[in-house]
Amino acid sequence: MGPPLLLACLLAPLCARGASTAPGSPPGWRQHEGPRRVKRAWVIPPISVSENHKRIPHLLVQIKSDKQQPGGVIYSIKGPGVDEEPLGIFSIDKFSGKVFLNAMLDREENDRFRLKAFALDLGGVTLEDPTDLEIIVVDQNDNRPLFRQDVFTGRVVEGAEPGTCVMTVEATDADDPETDNAALRFSILEQGAGGMFSINATTGEICTARPGLDRESVGVYNLTLQAADMSGDGLTTTATAVIYLEDINDNAPEFTKEEFSMEVEEQAAGLEVGRVLVHDKDLAGSPNWLAKFTILEGDPEGAFAIHTDPYTNDGVLSVAKPLDHEVRDRFQLTVSVQNQQPLEPGAPGSPRALATVQVRVRDVNEAPVFRENPRRVSVPEGAPPGTPVTTYTASDPDTRQLQTLTYALLYDPAGWLQLDPHSGTVRTKRELRHPSAFLQGGWYIALVLARDDAEPPLSATGTLSIEILEVNDHAPLLQPPAGVVCGRPGRGGSLLLGATDDDRPPHGAPFHFQLSPQHPQLARNWSITRFNVTHAVLAVLVELPEGLYSLPLLLRDSGTPPREQQQLLNVSVCPCGRDGTCEDGVLAAATAGVGITLEALLVILGSSTLLLLLALLGAAQVRGRRRALRKGLLQRSRDDMRDNILNYDEQGGGEEDQDAYDINQLRHPQLLQPRAKPPVRRDAPLRSGTPSAPRKLPSGPSDIEDFINEGLEAADSDPSVPPYDTALIYDYEGSGSVASPLSSIVSSLTDEDQDYDYLSEWGPRFRRLADLYGQ
């Protein structure tokens, strides 16, 4: 089978099939008698059709097969626009082969269509191989240009030179870029007066066209731009370009007036005095606008300060140091202003860069002032009352006002001082001595208050520090005043001596120890050598017999002048053991420690033993009598139980000597009767007498407390009270009570001597107790 062959003619008569072939004719038109290769007559060129064609249907082309059979040929086409999206744009007459356009075309959607054409006999057998049919859509100028954005924004500094580019605008056109339909040209339709900007018609670049851009005159430029196709003669569109001018410091700040007047109170530090106003044409809030103020003249002491308010750009004048109306009541300041950023080169300066500020200092009442605070003075220890300490006065800064100052002690913790309210003279009111809780390192602190008589009055406080000078008024004391040494030299025959002094340094240590010069014979047996600043060593020089020795020593301190005192040292000399200690060390140490002889110690021990035996005998008698009374007390009627008030104000006696009182009698004083005689203490010492009179009973209910207090006082002054180490008796709580004291439960020496059965008769609350102790 040869290559496919389709013959086509655009709007031409159909070719007759079966025509004879002349010599030299194209082989494609010859009648084939057998299978051999055949060439096409021509190739179908692309078919062009304009977009937006409105006459529908429109014949595009007619195709025809050169192998048309007697029975006829069936033609068909396939491809986009036929049986593929978009559908229904093209169609073909299957018998004639005419191809029609059935819808308007849009080149911007599809700029060409590539179809396949087919030729079949009536039986559906392919007569020719498919051939290509290309339909090209011809562009029309049916799309306007479009800017890429509606508003373009750019910035340029004010004063920019001509030709300074600001921005580039862009636009597009959907038409064929190979035609003039998409050839765009840019222009500025409107930009206001001045014509300060131009645009490149081809590239869309906007640049400055003239000098003189001034942000303070015109800060924003709005340009109306146009884009046109067909090289500027076709369809058009518009957009807006907004150009902002950026500020530069081309305007100097200037004061709103040449002189400002202000007023401020004296002694007011950190207070705002007033404001100086300036004007600057540059952009508000920018460094080109912010002002910087400087005080050039009139304030050599630096009493004022000035800073900038960042929101208003005002200069705020304030007081840096307290002002004194009496020293200076008026200031004339020269203030300058400039921007924080330097001016641009060539920018003109301001004629109002300087201003004068008049400040008047207003007089107010000022508090007194202690020029010396604190005041430090010294007073010797033990100074008598009325001794002058100092005159502590304050001064009034208000020299132009007649005011009187008065003084008072604001703080005098020990009440040692007295103060003259008019002169401020301080004197002692009592002796000042060491030691005292009110002294801090030897210093006494007091506060003095000074007050003027203005309205309202003002006051000041001064600190008075008084150093209590130490006086050497105490001699050193020997500590301890007794000791024990071995009576053999070199074998423990030494004793460490010490001393104390109530005086403070430098009137205390070092101490000087020596044997009394009035007894030179002592130096033959004893010697004293220094150990340290507070101690010395007493040594035996010769072997001494045992016994008690009283050595007069002379002790002297290091004060000015020094104080000395002669004191006795009791030394017990004991027999020496092998190791250099006393053979009877315990007895010798006890004798020396208390400063008494051995015979006195034996007397004390014998007396203590005798008192102990008497106490044990009395305790045994009391216990026997208590057993006899217990049985009788339990046999009395239960109805006889009553409330009792007992005297427990005598700590040395027992319960037996407490007198019980009927509480009903205390509630009804008219029933009280004087007692026949006072109670007699059985354990009173032999030297004691009896009280002079019995205690008077109270006469009313309100006197019960007084009655008890009087009983306490009588017991305290009663010479018949026993010593506090005697045996105490708690077995009897008053006549007529059937309830024995609970302390009697443990009063027996052994559990076998105690009978607990009687507890069961006291009621249910005591039965459990009887069961526990009766087991």
Side-chain angles (χ1 to χ4, degrees), residues 385-468:
T387 301
V389 178
T390 184
T391 299
Y392 196 20
T393 59
S395 59
D396 193 343
D398 297 313
T399 58
R400 301 182 184 180
Q401 301 179 18
L402 297 178
Q403 296 180 358
T404 302
L405 300 183
T406 56
Y407 303 92
L409 281 173
L410 183 63
Y411 179 70
D412 182 18
W416 281 353
L417 307 175
Q418 56 184 354
L419 175 65
D420 188 312
H422 302 291
S423 65
T425 300
V426 181
R427 298 177 180 273
T428 60
K429 190 164 59 175
R430 61 186 65 179
E431 288 188 3
L432 312 181
R433 288 193 174 275
H434 290 287
S436 174
F438 301 103
L439 297 181
Q440 301 176 7
W443 290 83
Y444 182 72
I445 307 299
L447 298 181
V448 177
L449 180 70
R451 176 178 299 178
D452 60 23
D453 57 354
E455 187 60 38
L458 296 179
S459 61
T461 302
T463 302
L464 181 59
S465 299
I466 304 174
E467 182 182 16
I468 309 302

Side-chain angles (χ1 to χ4, degrees), residues 172-238:
T172 59
D173 196 313
D175 291 325
D176 190 355
E178 302 298 330
T179 66
D180 283 347
N181 296 336
L184 304 181
R185 297 294 182 268
F186 299 95
S187 62
I188 299 176
L189 299 181
E190 183 180 357
Q191 61 174 315
M196 305 300 295
F197 298 93
S198 63
I199 188 170
N200 187 302
T202 303
T203 62
E205 188 176 31
I206 299 176
C207 302
T208 59
R210 297 181 182 180
L213 290 175
D214 187 5
R215 190 204 65 83
E216 288 73 34
S217 300
V218 180
V220 181
Y221 286 87
N222 293 289
L223 281 61
T224 302
L225 308 179
Q226 175 182 279
D229 58 15
M230 300 297 292
S231 299
D233 298 328
L235 302 177
T236 62
T237 187
T238 60

Side-chain angles (χ1 to χ4, degrees), residues 2 64 74 88 105 122 138 150 181 207 250 289 305 322 403 407 438 442 448 496 508 534 587 672 727 738:
K64 186 176 181 181
I74 303 299
L105 298 177
L122 297 178
V138 180
D150 294 333
N181 296 336
C207 302
D250 57 347
W289 173 80
Q403 296 180 358
Y407 303 92
F438 301 103
V448 177
L496 183 64
T534 57
L587 182 59
L672 294 174
V738 298

Side-chain angles (χ1 to χ4, degrees), residues 481-492:
V484 179
V485 295
C486 177
R488 185 178 303 171
R491 297 288 301 274

Side-chain angles (χ1 to χ4, degrees), residues 138-160:
V138 180
D139 182 51
Q140 287 187 346
N141 191 17
D142 58 346
N143 290 281
R144 293 179 179 275
L146 293 177
F147 281 101
R148 291 192 180 274
Q149 56 195 71
D150 294 333
V151 179
F152 296 87
T153 303
R155 296 181 178 274
V156 63
V157 295
E158 61 175 332

Side-chain angles (χ1 to χ4, degrees), residues 40 51 182 403 478 664:
R40 295 184 180 182
E51 65 174 335
Q403 296 180 358
L478 185 64
N664 292 324

